[in-house]
Amino acid sequence: MCDTCGCNVTPGNENLVQAGGKLASTSSGRDSVEVLHGLLHENDHQAQHNREHFERHGVLAINLMSSPGSGKTRLLEATIDDLGRDKRIAVVEGDLETERDAMRIREKGVPAIQITTGSACHLDAHMVHDALHRLDLDAVDILFIENVGNLVCPASFDLGQQLNVVLLSVTEGDDKPAKYPVMFRAADAVVISKVDLLPYLGDFEPDRARRHLRELANAASLFELSAQTGEGLGAWCSWLLAQIPQRDQAAVGERSFTVTSA
Amino acid sequence: MHELAVCRSLLRQVERVAMQHGADEVASIHLSIGPLSGIEVPLLEQAFSIARAGTVAEGAELVTSLKGVRVRCGRCDKESAVTVNRLVCLHCGDWRTQLVSGDEMELTRVEINIPETVN
Ligand SMILES: Nc1nc2c(ncn2[C@@H]2O[C@H](COP(=O)(O)OP(=O)(O)OP(=O)(O)O)[C@@H](O)[C@H]2O)c(=O)[nH]1
Ligand SMILES: [Mg+2]
Ligand SMILES: [Zn+2]
Ligand SMILES: [Zn+2]
Ligand SMILES: [Zn+2]
Ligand SMILES: [Zn+2]
């Protein structure tokens, strides 16, 4: 499915993909090349390619990020229980050391691709792309990409997702958005998880987490839920359903895609 | 943490630029970095000193220009210089702002040495 797009970067075509930059001389007589490229240009290019896959197949792709243990896999299990009968869900698991999370998802009867590349601290667009080619995207409505538990690096690597969802469990403190602004600024939705534990904590104020998020100029939706008790899960699932792209729109995207690549 | 990955990506781009222009050596690499990019400049410099070995940029100097964080207010349209975790308008207090600068993570310029005559 990649060959049709023609944008895979090879030594033969890379000069078509990116201009080499403009050559000029500096006052000191040295040659100087002006470029303006993101430092993660290769990743960004691959991410764009992944995004084309998702759009062509009408897949809603969600990059799920949080600290280790905030409840990403548990939330996926609960979401599959709620939506799995009506919507076709698939999961790419970035738990790099073990197959455990992928096995938990497969037990729910949902395809889960484990990314195994050793102990990287984040997923990148190339790893996700390899996983995509092991899935039948035509048979998927929502693809969750569970990123490595880490609030720092994953925010810098675009995977081609349409939406970033960041979990913040109530045991982590409500000031996490202020401490990790790069991650929380990128969030399209923030899930405050494990709210069943709120009565035992006392010092986590969901409103304070919301305020910190707004101070990052982020209007993201906030959900307060417990995957354990099911509290708040309904609002989260309704929101997810509303984000799924319309199939006929996806078909239009496919036509224009064929034209541009010809 | 991910500065080494960023650095390798940077060096591949620099090598490509050098190759396209027939350079045998890279003198300096110029970056523009904002604090909201997630890149820590000291960590990037450290990673660079390791990753450049054996590349065309082995002797290159890394020059980073740090951008400040600025937002433009959606309500009063004024600009403010702000900090990374308070992107709020300093004039009217509204939080609905747009980032003007501060998330840059760009390679802006490469200074290279092109051998005089090849034949
Ligand atoms: N009380 C309570 N515990 C929860 C909830 N959600 C998850 N947990 C527990 O939190 C622990 C971690 O949950 P996971 O779903 O594995 O977290 P994760 O974010 O996938 O973890 P990593 O993949 O290792 O980063 C498990 O022991 C879960 O049972 C919740 O809503 N309430
Ligand atoms: Mg997990
Ligand atoms: Zn592909
Ligand atoms: Zn491509
Ligand atoms: Zn990382
Ligand atoms: Zn204002």
Side-chain angles (χ1 to χ4, degrees):
Chain A
M1 64 174 120
C2 258
D3 305 335
T4 55
C5 112
C7 79
N8 270 347
V9 186
T10 65
N13 71 9
E14 66 191 359
N15 55 336
L16 301 175
V17 175
Q18 57 171 34
K22 207 166 77 227
L23 186 64
S25 278
T26 60
S27 49
S28 62
R30 263 196 208 142
D31 295 302
S32 169
V33 184
E34 301 289 334
V35 278
L36 196 62
H37 272 160
L39 292 192
L40 291 172
H41 177 82
E42 291 168 347
N43 185 76
D44 294 346
H45 178 74
Q46 182 66 58
Q48 189 50 39
H49 174 77
N50 294 353
R51 195 165 284 121
E52 282 161 9
H53 276 302
F54 298 137
E55 282 167 9
R56 203 158 11 134
H57 298 279
V59 174
L60 171 65
I62 294 184
N63 183 9
L64 197 58
M65 297 178 280
S66 78
S67 308
S70 300
K72 296 180 293 297
T73 309
R74 189 73 192 78
L75 176 64
L76 290 180
E77 290 170 322
T79 304
I80 291 164
D81 285 341
D82 253 38
L83 296 180
R85 252 183 302 274
D86 298 331
K87 294 293 166 193
R88 297 163 305 171
I89 298 176
V91 178
V92 171
E93 274 294 343
D95 179 13
L96 302 176
E97 293 291 350
T98 72
E99 280 261 348
R100 288 181 55 87
D101 286 358
M103 276 155 51
R104 281 166 60 185
I105 298 297
R106 285 183 203 124
E107 272 168 26
K108 299 274 173 196
V110 158
I113 306 293
Q114 179 77 41
I115 291 182
T116 42
T117 52
S119 54
C121 47
H122 59 266
L123 295 183
D124 67 35
H126 294 88
M127 298 176 190
V128 169
H129 182 249
D130 290 344
L132 292 188
H133 281 266
R134 293 161 61 197
L135 277 169
D136 177 9
L137 289 182
D138 276 328
V140 175
D141 299 309
I142 309 178
L143 177 72
F144 290 102
I145 304 164
E146 180 179 335
N147 218 310
V148 182
N150 175 348
L151 279 179
V152 182
C153 333
S156 298
F157 293 83
D158 186 3
L159 306 179
Q161 74 282 347
Q162 286 99 340
L163 296 170
N164 284 324
V165 173
V166 181
L167 264 72
L168 168 58
S169 67
V170 297
T171 54
E172 293 171 66
D174 51 30
D175 56 353
K176 275 284 182 300
K179 288 182 177 166
Y180 296 91
V182 179
M183 172 62 74
F184 281 92
R185 208 174 74 82
D188 297 295
V190 172
V191 172
I192 297 178
S193 60
K194 309 192 190 181
V195 295
D196 57 292
L197 299 179
L198 275 177
Y200 309 99
L201 294 165
D203 63 346
F204 187 103
E205 293 277 354
D207 278 346
R208 209 149 46 207
R210 180 187 310 268
R211 204 186 65 224
H212 284 304
L213 185 69
R214 297 298 178 242
E215 284 175 355
L216 298 176
N218 190 339
S221 309
L222 266 111
F223 300 96
E224 298 170 31
L225 59 79
S226 164
Q228 198 92 326
T229 66
E231 179 190 346
L233 213 59
W236 156 251
C237 287
S238 311
W239 178 82
L240 273 179
L241 288 176
Q243 310 304 315
I244 297 176
Q246 301 299 313
R247 284 280 158 183
D248 45 327
Q249 272 175 16
V252 171
E254 168 136 11
R255 273 198 298 279
S256 60
F257 187 84
T258 314
V259 172
T260 39
S261 66
Chain B
M1 284 201 245
H2 58 299
E3 277 77 3
L4 196 57
V6 173
C7 213
R8 291 211 183 95
S9 170
L10 164 69
L11 282 165
R12 280 195 296 272
Q13 286 187 59
V14 168
E15 288 194 303
R16 206 172 293 155
V17 169
M19 197 177 71
Q20 279 168 352
H21 294 282
D24 61 356
E25 180 177 62
V26 175
S28 61
I29 299 169
H30 300 253
L31 310 179
S32 174
I33 305 283
L36 281 172
S37 67
I39 298 213
E40 299 288 340
V41 171
L43 293 182
L44 187 70
E45 284 169 345
Q46 213 171 45
F48 179 75
S49 69
I50 299 164
R52 68 180 167 181
T55 73
V56 70
E58 180 137 29
E61 184 193 359
L62 191 68
V63 185
T64 48
S65 107
L66 247 182
K67 297 291 173 182
V69 184
R70 296 189 68 83
V71 294
R72 177 183 294 280
C73 181
R75 188 165 139 214
C76 75
D77 205 38
K78 288 186 182 136
E79 268 191 41
S80 312
V82 294
T83 56
V84 287
N85 52 18
R86 262 192 78 80
L87 308 179
V88 173
C89 177
L90 295 182
H91 305 279
C92 76
D94 207 282
W95 60 266
R96 275 156 294 206
T97 61
Q98 289 286 330
L99 198 71
V100 175
S101 77
D103 64 347
E104 295 82 355
M105 177 171 36
E106 283 156 1
L107 169 63
T108 53
R109 200 156 61 85
V110 184
E111 287 192 8
I112 52 179
N113 179 44
I114 302 175
E116 295 272 304
T117 42
V118 186
N119 299 322

